[in-house]
Amino acid sequence: MKARNIMIQGTMSDVGKSLFTAGLLRVLSQDGYRAAPFKSQNMALNSYITAQELEMSRAQVMQAEAAGIDPDVAMNPILLKPNSDMGSQVIVNGEVFGNLTAAQYFRRKHEFVPDIKAAYHKLEHDYEILVIEGAGSPAEINLKQNDIVNMGLAQMIDAPVLLIGDIDRGGVFAQLYGTVALLEAQERARIKGFIMNKFRGDRRLLEPGLQMLYERCPIPVVGVIPYTELDIEDEDSLSRRLLPGSVRDRIDIAVIRFPHIANFTDLNPLERISHVSLRYISDCRELGCPDLIILPGTKNTMRDLQWMRENGIETEVRRLVGSDLSLLLGICGGFQMMGEELADPYGVEAGGISRGLGYFPLRTIFGTEKVRRRVRGTILTQCSASGSRSVWERLAGSTFLGYEMHMGTSDSVGGAQPRRLMELTDEDSGSENSRHRRRADRITGGGNHMDGCISGNCIGTYVHGLFTSGTLRDNLLDLLFERRGLTRDAAGQTDYLTYKNSQYDRLADVIREHTDLKAIYRMIGLE
């Protein structure tokens, strides 16, 4: 039986499409429907490795979590990961297609229509209802040719559309009316309702405007959603959590906000801890004297290393780490920066050779194949080179689940024996991922392997998501508190996955209270 559907489009980026999609999926799941998200093309640097060891956007992973289902790469068949101002790495069906400039992708995007249709039909077979998310605005008239993500997709799959506007930015009536005015007649006919998002104040003050909007554009407003503080994963670098923050608590964690920052969602589990501040900085004057500095993932390691070097952050990090004032953690691209050298012989990133930060005796070479695997890991027992206790000893035996996804491999330099941080084993996710596992093993040299490095006040790893489950997060926090001579109070603290589910339930409650859910269900074709 063909699945029912509804599409969520927006008047612009960051109006709340992703969260509304997640909330509606949660409502449908609570009401007993088998529902799934779908976004034909997403542009974001936050991505995830599925149980089949394929790569997809974390936004659709978040939406799948809200729906109570496992992420499937069919939910996001095309992922664009910007690696320069003019180009992106293109991921199709979870695998690297190649690097394309914006102009090249625009000319070739019609080639991916069969992949989009196949992914959609797969989900149609598996679920009762599909909630589809658009991208940006459907009124970008310069980009409408061969559209595969907004009205072009809605026509392709015959979907009714809800259009969301952001009242918090101002001009929401112009957003909604102007978007409709720029559409073709058959496209306008697909819009069955408006949603006004992020409203602050008394809704009664809106009523005259709602009536005037309907007179000029006879599409009902089926929801006015209040501005609501929710702690749910953000899609990309528009996230407000990346804005510079101040030190508010006893423990200060500073994250370097690279221009091409990727997978900053790795750090979300550290944000909700009592007496811990996690802040993002992009200027050396903002750094201060944090307990922990984190070099996160990046989609262009070499250029972001150069950026850090030019704006003075590298010098300040060296001073703090060398003076024993701060500890340093690198994740994926941040870990690669911490070696002695980075080489890009195939032009995967910037090309050429760059000097690293020199904390680890490693040389990273960027290759043409991406390592993708889900792993479980254990931090090794650590001691210093002289046999004395390491500052990181508190982490010994910590466990975690995570995933690797990187183009480069890092090997020792000149016969050095780097002290490895952790032992990894492949997460057992069934036989269907064996092909991907063999590929990763061929690149890295085995299914079970050592990862990361430790040296003095510095550690680094390729693994993403390592603070979401297991004991590593709590042990790291205990270490930071102990260095300050403090004891961390973990009483009443819920685990991160339970906390995330509570946020999805809050989001569903908001949608139930502030939208005409019966009207939305009628649009889907439900009684």
Side-chain angles (χ1 to χ4, degrees):
M1 180 179 176
K2 181 180 177 182
R4 303 178 189 274
N5 62 24
I6 189 167
M7 188 168 191
I8 313 302
Q9 296 187 20
T11 56
M12 64 183 86
S13 295
D14 198 36
V15 298
K17 296 186 296 293
S18 295
L19 282 186
F20 187 85
T21 298
L24 183 55
L25 283 162
R26 189 64 160 197
V27 168
L28 289 164
S29 174
Q30 291 173 342
D31 289 353
Y33 294 102
R34 289 184 296 107
F38 181 76
K39 187 165 184 175
S40 58
Q41 169 202 293
N42 205 344
M43 177 178 283
L45 288 179
N46 290 338
S47 59
Y48 175 83
I49 301 301
T50 68
Q52 294 72 38
E53 299 190 342
L54 299 170
E55 187 174 1
M56 64 181 288
S57 166
R58 283 206 68 95
Q60 278 60 67
V61 173
M62 177 270 290
Q63 291 163 354
E65 287 179 348
I69 58 178
D70 291 332
D72 186 325
V73 75
M75 298 169 184
N76 173 220
I78 301 174
L79 173 60
L80 307 178
K81 303 185 74 173
N83 52 16
S84 70
D85 291 339
M86 296 295 292
S88 297
Q89 183 183 71
V90 181
I91 311 291
V92 180
N93 295 322
E95 304 207 43
V96 176
F97 177 84
N99 289 336
L100 296 178
T101 66
Q104 288 170 333
Y105 179 74
F106 184 76
R107 289 194 301 268
R108 299 186 60 176
K109 64 181 179 178
H110 66 278
E111 297 176 20
F112 305 118
V113 170
D115 297 289
I116 292 170
K117 288 182 174 179
Y120 184 82
H121 293 321
K122 177 185 183 299
L123 296 178
E124 253 192 334
H125 180 267
D126 295 339
Y127 296 95
E128 295 175 281
I129 302 169
L130 300 182
V131 183
I132 303 105
E133 182 188 346
S137 164
E140 302 290 349
I141 54 179
N142 58 313
L143 301 175
K144 285 181 64 174
Q145 183 181 357
N146 297 322
D147 172 49
I148 59 173
V149 69
N150 285 309
M151 284 299 178
L153 177 63
Q155 182 175 353
M156 195 186 305
I157 59 178
D158 191 20
V161 173
L162 272 177
L163 183 65
I164 299 182
D166 180 357
I167 197 170
D168 192 49
R169 296 184 182 184
V172 71
F173 295 104
Q175 290 177 38
L176 296 168
Y177 182 79
T179 298
V180 172
L182 287 171
L183 298 176
E184 305 295 333
Q186 69 272 18
E187 295 172 332
R188 287 196 291 270
R190 290 200 172 274
I191 300 179
K192 305 303 181 184
F194 291 145
I195 299 286
M196 291 187 178
N197 196 24
K198 307 179 190 176
F199 177 67
R200 306 174 194 251
D202 187 341
R203 174 170 170 156
R204 289 173 297 181
L205 299 177
L206 271 181
E207 292 300 331
L210 299 181
Q211 181 60 36
M212 293 170 64
L213 177 64
Y214 188 79
E215 290 169 359
R216 290 164 173 75
C217 182
I219 297 172
V221 175
V222 296
V224 177
I225 299 177
Y227 193 98
T228 307
E229 290 291 344
L230 290 166
D231 189 4
I232 293 176
E233 282 189 6
D234 302 285
E235 182 169 14
D236 52 32
S237 58
L238 292 175
S239 169
R240 296 189 179 190
R241 72 177 72 230
L242 296 187
L243 296 175
S246 58
V247 182
R248 303 180 306 277
D249 292 296
R250 300 177 183 178
I251 300 302
D252 178 25
I253 301 176
V255 184
I256 307 303
R257 183 183 176 177
F258 297 126
H260 302 92
I261 188 171
N263 276 63
F264 59 82
T265 50
D266 289 342
L267 309 177
N268 287 10
L270 300 175
E271 288 189 332
R272 49 175 293 271
I273 307 300
S274 298
H275 305 302
V276 174
S277 287
L278 187 137
R279 57 195 178 90
Y280 290 81
I281 70 105
S282 54
D283 188 302
C284 63
R285 293 167 293 185
E286 301 166 352
L287 192 54
C289 186
D291 299 280
L292 176 67
I293 301 169
I294 298 179
L295 307 180
T298 161
K299 197 64 192 74
N300 200 314
T301 306
M302 296 172 76
R303 284 180 177 160
D304 283 355
L305 174 59
Q306 185 65 24
W307 167 85
M308 190 168 71
R309 198 157 268 158
E310 291 173 351
N311 66 14
I313 291 178
E314 178 194 14
T315 299
E316 191 63 10
V317 168
R318 286 189 182 282
R319 182 186 70 81
L320 291 167
V321 174
S323 303
D324 199 31
L325 297 172
S326 302
L327 303 181
L328 181 64
L329 163 64
I331 300 175
C332 199
F335 169 49
Q336 292 172 334
M337 292 180 185
M338 295 171 73
E340 292 187 6
E341 186 177 87
L342 301 94
D344 185 15
Y346 305 102
V348 173
E349 289 199 350
I353 296 176
S354 293
R355 172 177 55 86
L357 299 175
Y359 289 113
F360 305 136
L362 297 175
R363 182 174 191 257
T364 295
I365 299 178
F366 294 98
T368 56
E369 289 191 87
K370 179 175 283 190
V371 175
R372 302 189 311 269
R373 71 167 106 213
R374 284 156 61 113
V375 296
R376 62 180 68 246
T378 304
I379 302 295
L380 301 172
T381 301
Q382 300 296 341
C383 60
S384 70
S386 63
S388 60
R389 186 173 179 181
S390 165
V391 65
W392 302 102
E393 189 72 24
R394 189 71 173 76
L395 304 185
S398 301
T399 59
F400 57 88
L401 295 175
Y403 51 95
E404 293 181 65
M405 123 187 116
H406 49 94
M407 299 295 288
T409 57
S410 302
D411 297 309
S412 59
V413 176
Q417 295 296 319
R419 292 167 53 220
R420 292 299 187 178
L421 175 66
M422 59 183 66
E423 182 175 11
L424 301 179
T425 60
D426 288 321
E427 183 183 354
D428 184 13
S429 50
S431 60
E432 60 184 315
N433 68 358
S434 59
R435 175 170 61 89
H436 305 290
R437 179 174 297 156
R438 286 195 300 270
R439 173 181 298 167
D441 292 349
R442 185 173 70 249
I443 298 172
T444 59
N448 297 352
H449 60 288
M450 300 296 181
D451 176 75
C453 251
I454 178 170
S455 178
N457 288 335
C458 305
I459 56 173
T461 176
Y462 268 119
V463 180
H464 293 284
L466 70 174
F467 298 126
T468 301
S469 59
T471 61
L472 177 57
R473 182 196 67 172
D474 288 347
N475 289 342
L476 174 63
L477 292 169
D478 287 340
L479 164 63
L480 297 178
F481 274 84
E482 288 172 8
R483 274 175 58 86
R484 281 288 193 94
L486 303 170
T487 300
R488 185 172 71 93
D489 181 10
Q493 181 178 299
T494 58
D495 72 87
Y496 186 58
L497 297 180
T498 300
Y499 173 74
K500 282 207 291 186
N501 273 302
S502 73
Q503 296 298 297
Y504 295 139
D505 287 337
R506 281 190 61 208
L507 177 58
D509 290 343
V510 170
I511 288 178
R512 287 186 186 277
E513 183 177 355
H514 297 282
T515 67
D516 184 348
L517 201 54
K518 290 183 178 179
I520 294 174
Y521 270 35
R522 286 195 298 269
M523 295 173 198
I524 298 173
L526 302 172
E527 293 297 329

